[in-house]
Amino acid sequence: MIDKRVESLASAVADICDGATVMVGGFGEAGSPIELIHALIDQGATGLTVINNNTGSGEVGLAALIKAGRVAKMICSYPRSLNSTVFPELYKAGKIELELVPQGTLAERIRAGGAGIPAFFTATSVGTPLEIGKEKRTFGSREYVLEFGLSADFSLIKCKRADPYGNLIYNKTARNFGPAMAMAGKVTIVQSESIVPAGEIDPENIITPGIFVNRVVLVENPQHESALVAAGVSYP
Amino acid sequence: MSPEMSNSEIIGRTRDEMAKRVAQDIPDGSYVNLGIGIPELIAKFVPEGREFIYHTENGLLGMGPSPAEGEGNPELINAGKRQVTALPGASYFHHPDSFAMIRGGHIDLCVLGALQVAKNGDLANWSTGGPDAIPAVGGAMDLVAGVKCIFVVTQHCTKQGSPKLVDECTYPLTGPGVVNRIYTDLAVIEITPRGFQLIELSPGVSFEYAQERTGAPLLPIAP
């Protein structure tokens, strides 16, 4: 019988190993799986490559993982934003590597990685410093650069509702990178605000089909990053 | 505040007036992406009888204004990570779909801020290229590569008084030859094969005043 539910956050992330590549869903705080990230901090894996649009804020969630020294490399589009201090300090000190990727290219690289597409051409970044080192080709009268698909050993994602088969629906703009990262993770781990019996989510409304999901853990009242940052919380 | 900085010395359009002027040039029914800063103000000035649909690249079409105090949702935000609302007829979607709208040429118009715009339409708005700068690009390069029409709204000069409209950009480019029109506190300017073509001067601004503050020749308005 298929049942992707796991009992605890700790067991959900138990096998994430040192040096793993981990995709982390979310755009800013919307969709950030804070509880899964905190479980990963407790678990102790280090030397990670993390793929996320940003680098977290304050000293909770992704920023706390970086602050704990567990992240060797970030692949992201926008590593500095409001209340983001942990990454900039480590980056300036040369203690963390950065691969800067335009946001649409990042999204498409993740989608391609999940869809079995090794590489694709795009016009984004042509004629800018971010084209350096990329193979170029002309289609019609326009130049394009070659970009490679991205996949990950693990993806950590937050959603609104799941069922035991791993079918997911999201909440508003917290959907963002979740569906693509679910496809691109070899092991996709989801925290969900509710888990309902199979059949209760209308199949017409399912956003991520369960085939892309390996584990679902219930986190009924997820914390909000902005509230934690405003309260000055630091994890652990 | 020193006397020479007082409001009585401000010449040209305010930020709100610049936003209002841009809104006049957006056709009815346009799908529009607004950048951070002055572009965000445009939504307040939709001309009577027109409807624009706002796209925010983090996954919402039909974005509405900020929520009332205490009614926001931390999972309903815009690209600037500020809380917004969803209007009737809105839709949510994931990142690859959102950027397919941008990169696939489905968004009609994008209004962005700028560090520099060159006379050939080159745009620099993501990095000063300084050795201490943390590079951060977000969706800017995707927008200029994929959106059909790019408007820039910006102050004519930096806070230090240097022209932002230049012969050639010295900052790293966001995209080459991508800008169609520039709206500043002093003027509206179109990028043409011959350079900066003046479309109109703001009330109280002379051609000489605008030219002195522009880093390349301004082509006068045709008589």
Side-chain angles (χ1 to χ4, degrees):
Chain A
M1 291 294 287
I2 294 175
D3 187 349
K4 297 181 180 180
R5 290 174 292 179
V6 292
E7 277 305 303
S8 67
L9 287 158
S11 57
V13 301
D15 57 350
I16 298 181
C17 50
D18 289 355
T21 297
V22 183
M23 288 182 180
V24 177
F27 177 92
E29 72 170 323
S32 180
I34 292 192
E35 284 76 11
L36 280 172
I37 300 169
H38 288 173
L40 180 57
I41 293 173
D42 297 344
Q43 187 259 27
T46 192
L48 304 171
T49 293
V50 172
I51 301 163
N52 178 267
N53 188 59
N54 305 100
T55 59
S57 67
E59 296 186 359
V60 295
L62 178 55
L65 184 70
I66 296 169
K67 185 160 190 276
R70 308 291 173 72
V71 181
K73 180 179 177 181
M74 279 301 311
I75 300 176
C76 71
S77 86
Y78 208 87
R80 56 176 158 79
S81 45
L82 192 65
N83 298 316
S84 172
T85 53
V86 170
F87 178 86
E89 280 169 25
L90 286 172
Y91 180 76
K92 283 179 185 170
K95 289 179 177 162
I96 191 164
E97 197 184 333
L98 170 66
E99 180 178 340
L100 189 74
V101 183
Q103 196 173 148
T105 297
L106 182 64
E108 193 63 19
R109 286 180 66 189
I110 296 167
R111 196 194 76 82
I117 297 168
F120 59 91
F121 284 96
T122 178
T124 297
S125 90
V126 169
T128 80
L130 295 190
E131 73 163 21
I132 293 167
K134 291 174 186 168
E135 189 178 326
K136 286 167 103 174
R137 191 161 156 190
T138 302
F139 296 92
S141 58
R142 197 167 182 193
E143 266 195 315
Y144 298 82
V145 293
L146 183 68
E147 297 281 1
F148 294 94
L150 269 176
S151 56
D153 300 308
F154 297 89
S155 288
L156 307 182
I157 286 164
K158 177 190 185 187
C159 77
K160 183 80 174 171
R161 190 168 303 138
D163 69 20
Y165 287 88
N167 296 309
L168 312 179
I169 60 172
Y170 299 85
N171 185 38
K172 302 184 167 62
T173 58
R175 184 183 308 184
N176 57 67
F177 286 92
M181 287 181 171
M183 294 165 65
K186 287 189 196 82
V187 177
T188 291
I189 306 165
V190 179
Q191 66 170 75
S192 181
E193 287 181 44
S194 69
I195 301 178
V196 298
E200 206 156 291
I201 308 174
D202 184 341
E204 291 282 9
N205 295 341
I206 288 168
I207 304 299
T208 291
I211 191 169
F212 298 125
V213 171
N214 300 86
R215 298 171 196 160
V216 179
V217 60
L218 182 65
V219 178
E220 276 178 301
N221 294 298
Q223 303 174 89
H224 289 298
E225 190 174 288
S226 55
L228 295 175
V229 172
V233 173
S234 179
Y235 193 88
Chain B
M1 186 181 277
S2 63
E4 56 272 22
M5 292 289 285
S6 72
N7 284 340
S8 63
E9 293 289 321
I10 289 176
I11 291 172
R13 291 191 165 103
T14 64
R15 287 161 58 91
D16 269 357
E17 288 164 351
M18 289 157 68
K20 190 173 178 184
R21 178 63 190 84
V22 177
Q24 288 169 10
D25 287 355
I26 303 178
D28 183 34
S30 294
Y31 288 94
V32 180
N33 183 294
L34 299 177
I36 313 295
I38 303 173
E40 288 176 282
L41 303 174
I42 291 168
K44 291 197 293 187
F45 299 108
V46 179
E48 188 74 29
R50 283 188 231 175
E51 183 178 17
F52 310 151
I53 296 182
Y54 298 109
H55 171 263
T56 182
E57 57 264 34
N58 55 312
L60 168 61
L61 260 180
M63 175 174 65
S66 304
E69 186 72 28
E71 285 176 22
N73 184 325
E75 295 200 319
L76 179 45
I77 60 175
N78 67 8
K81 306 195 173 74
R82 266 198 283 280
Q83 292 183 6
V84 294
T85 49
L87 298 173
S91 55
Y92 299 116
F93 34 84
H94 60 63
H95 253 73
D97 277 358
S98 185
F99 279 87
M101 293 175 195
I102 293 171
R103 292 149 64 113
H106 305 281
I107 305 288
D108 297 305
L109 180 82
C110 177
V111 189
L112 293 167
L115 294 167
Q116 291 176 326
V117 184
K119 65 182 181 191
N120 65 353
D122 288 0
L123 173 67
N125 78 346
W126 70 284
S127 171
T128 57
D132 261 8
I134 310 271
V137 64
M141 287 185 184
D142 305 290
L143 286 162
V144 300
V147 175
K148 291 175 213 158
C149 181
I150 303 290
F151 286 175
V152 161
V153 57
T154 177
Q155 303 293 337
H156 209 85
C157 296
T158 66
K159 288 193 181 89
Q160 291 73 36
S162 310
K164 288 180 144 196
L165 280 55
V166 294
D167 193 51
E168 212 173 304
C169 292
T170 54
Y171 293 142
L173 291 192
T174 309
V178 295
V179 175
N180 299 94
R181 270 195 177 200
I182 312 164
Y183 297 80
T184 79
D185 45 339
L186 304 183
V188 179
I189 291 159
E190 181 124 328
I191 301 290
T192 69
R194 293 173 301 125
F196 291 130
Q197 173 65 55
L198 194 58
I199 300 293
E200 71 180 49
L201 290 160
S202 298
V205 175
S206 69
F207 179 84
E208 292 71 25
Y209 187 90
Q211 178 63 79
E212 276 168 28
R213 285 157 182 80
T214 307
L218 280 179
L219 305 170
I221 302 167

